[in-house]
Amino acid sequence: MKKITSLISVTALAISVIGIVPVTAGAEENVIYGTMNIPYADFYMAELSGSTNEYEVDAVSSATTSKWSKNGAGELFEGTYNQANDDGTGTILGVTYPVAVTQSDLDSLGENNYNFTAVDYVPSAYKTVTVAEGKAVFSAVQDETPTTSGESSIKLSTDTPWGDYLIDVENAPEMGAIYGAMIKTSDGSIYAMGHEANIWRGELAWSSGIKTSEPHGNTLPYENFVGLMGSTINEVSFITLDGYVNIPTDTYVPVKFDGSVNISESTSGTGKTSFTTENFPADYEKSYSIADNFTITDGEISYTNAPAGSYTMTISDSSGKYADMSADFTLSTDNMPAQYAGNGVLVKADNADNADFENFIKNISIVTVNGTDYSASGRGSTKIIGDDGKIDTSVSSRDGNIFNGQGTYSISVKATGYNKTLDFNFETDGNTSSPAPATTTTTTTTTANNNNTTTTATKSTSSSAGKESPKTGVAGVAIPVTVMAVAVATAFTVKKKNK
């Protein structure tokens, strides 16, 4: 990483200059270093200059009531500045980044100086500010020694809730706060990333017009990213306080489309079910995959000895041009292979086999305690029943402890693919010691036989117009960073990078 080298003191510098070179009216004007609140449009303008898809970068509107404002040290969007709305939502306008500007240019900006805050050192990297027709113009990042991380690699996913594509950097170098990021393609295009909409904890995600919203309710800007589909990324560049961190790659971005896969659910064991596809491109060369013991032809899935549970069928394009398309479906059974044995333990039911019991435990999806449902898997899950079938009486949810010592608890266990729930009363004196009460089962759904279909599981995507984000304007609406000492006169500086 680069080290910041303090300026030589004003007094010492003045003495040395006076002793060597006489002061003249033609001497080069002093440069002042500091930070400015730079709107995205101005921050990226020079970075995108000359690209085949040059465009103006908008601010990022956020539907959340807190995340957009997390711009402090170590927070989600460190280094950004923002504007709050009356309803608690907000807009990320741009970034607070180091600059170099002459005193006369700074003076000419007057009050519209982008919240300039002077610093008493020469930043490792900065943008040079000039003034044209009364408006600030920002250069690309001035970085004498950009970092190229040959040990890092790019992993591209086409299945993400945060848009159409997501990039993870594997073996990423230490970068600190990320102030900007760009995706560069082999056709000469450059795509700029905004925080929250695209930049999130070192990951980059974007919409190209297929999935245009994300789980937090934010509308994803996509118009400027449509051209990324079908292109080849040859570099991902991050902008940090130390300058550029460039990661070379050769990653093709498969084309996504507004299609769908519909699979009819059926029963477990040996049988078959049907599926349909819609809006696939005519040149999509379909190749299917699910799991062992499954055979797939166009429109039909056959299987042998398939346990109850959820399955995913993936359709791939053999030519490699298009993105995969996947859909989930469930094979179900009326069997109940588990029973409550008392003492807080689930065991194999009479006449059930071990494999079916283990499959039930593995597929537990919801445990209901005294009428409250607790998800057993996924983000924010609460695992009440362990892999060994034992109830964990110490488990807590967001609302606190689920089992508060002595008492009787009504419990219902639901497992994916099993139409019946396992219902029982769990009595505890705080040591999970209780007699074995009777176990009951409740049928919650009804499925068809092997050859008929019932419920249809669908995973599809649709295209909709994205809401435009507001344009960025002259900075000055956000609270500036901590004021540093007033900049000193021109000095000799040194900056170096540790390898």
Side-chain angles (χ1 to χ4, degrees):
M1 301 295 287
K2 298 175 182 175
K3 301 287 186 181
I4 297 175
T5 305
S6 299
L7 290 174
I8 302 173
S9 69
V10 178
T11 303
L13 177 61
I15 292 173
S16 63
V17 171
I18 292 172
I20 300 173
V21 182
V23 177
T24 67
E28 184 178 353
E29 187 174 359
N30 293 341
V31 173
I32 301 173
Y33 296 94
T35 62
M36 284 184 173
N37 288 351
I38 309 175
Y40 279 127
D42 297 318
F43 185 80
Y44 279 119
M45 182 179 294
E47 307 291 347
L48 270 61
S49 179
S51 67
T52 58
N53 64 326
E54 192 172 342
Y55 62 95
E56 184 174 297
V57 182
D58 290 343
V60 177
S61 295
S62 174
T64 65
T65 57
S66 61
K67 291 183 174 61
W68 58 270
S69 63
K70 295 185 180 300
N71 60 353
E75 292 188 312
L76 274 173
F77 308 124
E78 178 180 349
T80 63
Y81 73 100
N82 50 62
Q83 175 177 281
N85 300 325
D86 292 339
D87 61 357
T89 62
T91 302
I92 300 177
L93 300 175
V95 298
T96 303
Y97 199 74
V99 297
V101 61
T102 64
Q103 184 66 61
S104 61
D105 277 343
L106 182 62
D107 291 342
S108 70
L109 291 174
E111 294 181 355
N112 297 324
N113 66 355
Y114 296 79
N115 280 340
F116 177 80
T117 302
V119 297
D120 63 352
Y121 56 85
V122 177
S124 292
Y126 53 84
K127 284 180 174 282
T128 300
V129 183
T130 55
V131 178
E133 299 180 352
K135 186 179 185 301
V137 178
F138 297 85
S139 72
V141 172
Q142 303 300 294
D143 180 10
E144 294 179 0
T145 54
T147 298
T148 298
S149 181
E151 296 180 354
S152 302
S153 60
I154 298 301
K155 180 181 179 182
L156 176 70
S157 173
T158 60
D159 184 13
T160 170
W162 310 114
D164 292 323
Y165 303 91
L166 182 142
I167 280 179
D168 271 313
V169 180
E170 299 185 324
N171 196 27
E174 179 62 39
M175 292 187 283
I178 295 173
Y179 290 77
M182 295 168 289
I183 294 175
K184 303 178 181 181
T185 59
S186 59
D187 64 359
S189 296
I190 302 175
Y191 299 87
M193 306 276 108
H195 296 80
E196 189 169 22
N198 310 117
I199 303 172
W200 183 276
R201 299 189 187 279
E203 294 180 336
L204 302 179
W206 69 94
S207 167
S208 288
I210 307 303
K211 183 183 294 182
T212 57
S213 63
E214 48 90 71
H216 294 144
N218 292 309
T219 298
L220 298 172
Y222 67 88
E223 292 86 351
N224 294 315
F225 299 105
V226 174
L228 259 171
M229 292 196 298
S231 64
T232 298
I233 301 172
N234 55 18
E235 184 178 79
V236 175
S237 181
F238 293 93
I239 298 176
T240 73
L241 278 180
D242 288 329
Y244 297 111
V245 177
N246 302 318
I247 301 173
T249 186
D250 182 20
T251 302
Y252 174 71
V253 182
V255 177
K256 299 192 76 171
F257 53 94
D258 185 17
S260 64
V261 182
N262 309 291
I263 306 176
S264 298
E265 298 181 345
S266 190
T267 55
S268 60
T270 298
K272 61 184 178 180
T273 189
S274 60
F275 70 94
T276 60
T277 59
E278 297 179 1
N279 299 326
F280 273 61
D283 58 342
Y284 195 111
E285 300 177 12
K286 296 175 183 175
S287 174
Y288 305 99
S289 64
I290 300 182
D292 293 340
N293 302 326
F294 283 80
T295 302
I296 310 169
T297 58
D298 283 336
E300 186 174 274
I301 302 171
S302 300
Y303 49 90
T304 303
N305 297 327
S310 179
Y311 295 85
T312 300
M313 181 178 75
T314 299
I315 306 178
S316 303
D317 177 25
S318 297
S319 72
K321 176 181 178 180
Y322 296 99
D324 293 350
M325 183 72 74
S326 299
D328 298 330
F329 65 102
T330 301
L331 299 180
S332 58
T333 179
D334 286 332
N335 295 337
M336 173 47 65
Q339 64 182 354
Y340 182 55
N343 299 320
V345 179
L346 272 59
V347 298
K348 181 175 70 70
D350 298 337
N351 301 321
D353 59 48
N354 289 328
D356 200 14
F357 170 68
E358 292 172 0
N359 188 61
F360 177 87
I361 297 296
K362 181 181 69 175
N363 280 284
I364 291 176
S365 56
I366 297 174
V367 177
T368 304
V369 180
N370 289 345
T372 300
D373 291 343
Y374 299 95
S375 176
S377 62
R379 186 176 180 180
S381 62
T382 304
K383 193 167 184 177
I384 296 174
I385 299 176
D387 295 337
D388 56 1
K390 294 181 180 179
I391 296 174
D392 182 0
T393 57
S394 66
V395 70
S396 298
S397 70
R398 295 176 180 176
D399 299 324
N401 293 334
I402 296 174
F403 301 100
N404 294 310
Q406 185 174 355
T408 299
Y409 299 87
S410 176
I411 295 180
S412 180
V413 183
K414 172 63 180 174
T416 301
Y418 291 85
N419 296 326
K420 297 176 181 178
T421 60
L422 179 64
D423 305 316
F424 57 92
N425 289 328
F426 171 43
E427 297 179 4
T428 175
D429 58 2
N431 296 312
T432 68
S433 177
S434 62
T439 298
T440 60
T441 58
T442 302
T443 301
T444 56
T445 59
T446 302
T447 60
N449 58 35
N450 287 350
N451 298 319
N452 297 321
T453 61
T454 53
T455 308
T456 299
T458 304
K459 179 178 181 181
S460 62
T461 54
S462 60
S463 176
S464 61
K467 180 180 178 182
E468 292 188 358
S469 300
K471 301 289 184 181
T472 55
V474 174
V477 296
I479 298 174
V481 297
T482 304
V483 178
M484 305 293 289
V486 178
V488 297
T490 305
F492 300 106
T493 62
V494 179
K495 57 177 192 170
K496 63 181 182 177
K497 179 181 295 181
N498 290 338
K499 299 296 184 182

